[in-house]
Amino acid sequence: MIFDLDGTLIDSAPSILDCMATVIDAAGYAPEVPLGVNLIGPPLLKTLERITGITDVSRLQPLAEAFKTRYDTLGVRPTQAYPGVPLMLRRLVAAGLTLHLATNKRQRPTRTIVDLFGWSDLFATIYAQDQVSPGFADKSAMLRQLLLDNSLDPATCIYIGDIPADGRAAASNGLRFVAAD
């Protein structure tokens, strides 16, 4: 079983959106779209581009670095696991299933969150956006690498995620997809 993180196992939306608002305001920009949960999921630069309307990476990069600094130090702390998730993960492992994590979140906050919840021993692998350089092009590429690295047969795996892009990434890799509500 392969799980997405944000919106699937945890509710990180309030802290992510708070960090986004703080960083964008501090830089003197006004969001071009409302800051809502629909923005969470894609890679950080794409999200910042959507929020600000800025397409110049040299202008987006300082915003991304400011967000990372704030989120990695303060932002991850208020993250909450969805009710029942910790017990479900432990039961799946106890039943002999191997769990993997594939998230567009970066490694540092992902590992911090997994450690905060005491889940480090539950996931055989944790794949994050920035674990390769340059980062994975998209979730589809990440899942492809996870399957290859772990010699997993897509026909025997499922990917659990929360947004349509997760479903498309699963389909492009021949994985069954389960949408988390």
Side-chain angles (χ1 to χ4, degrees):
M1 297 183 90
I2 308 167
F3 286 92
D4 175 44
L5 184 61
D6 291 296
T8 302
L9 301 176
I10 62 170
D11 183 7
S12 56
S15 58
I16 290 173
L17 295 172
D18 178 64
C19 288
M20 286 283 181
T22 300
V23 165
I24 290 168
D25 183 60
Y29 297 111
E32 292 197 0
V33 297
L35 296 180
V37 295
N38 62 313
L39 297 170
I40 298 171
L44 181 56
L45 287 176
K46 291 201 179 295
T47 300
L48 288 169
E49 179 181 332
R50 185 166 175 213
I51 293 170
T52 63
I54 298 169
T55 57
D56 181 356
V57 175
S58 68
R59 290 178 57 208
L60 288 173
Q61 200 61 47
L63 289 174
E65 293 307 314
F67 173 84
K68 290 175 189 178
T69 298
R70 181 168 182 83
Y71 187 69
D72 292 357
T73 57
L74 302 171
V76 296
R77 301 287 172 205
T79 300
Q80 297 291 313
Y82 287 119
V85 165
L87 179 60
M88 173 200 64
L89 293 174
R90 293 198 184 287
R91 284 183 174 170
L92 290 171
V93 170
L97 295 172
T98 301
L99 308 183
H100 302 271
L101 190 65
T103 178
N104 278 333
K105 190 179 285 302
R106 293 170 298 105
Q107 285 235 359
R108 183 173 176 195
T110 297
R111 295 277 180 186
T112 300
I113 289 167
V114 168
D115 289 346
L116 282 172
F117 289 116
W119 296 346
S120 297
D121 61 326
L122 301 179
F123 292 101
T125 62
I126 297 175
Y127 280 62
Q129 170 59 33
D130 63 345
Q131 83 178 56
V132 296
S133 183
F136 289 109
D138 54 26
K139 185 72 71 75
S140 181
M142 181 186 301
L143 288 173
R144 187 174 316 112
Q145 193 64 51
L146 187 154
L147 292 167
L148 180 66
D149 290 350
N150 294 280
S151 303
L152 298 175
D153 178 0
T156 64
C157 297
I158 62 171
Y159 183 55
I160 300 103
D162 66 310
I163 59 175
D166 291 334
R168 290 189 297 274
S172 73
N173 283 284
L175 291 164
R176 290 175 290 152
F177 179 69
V178 175
D181 287 335

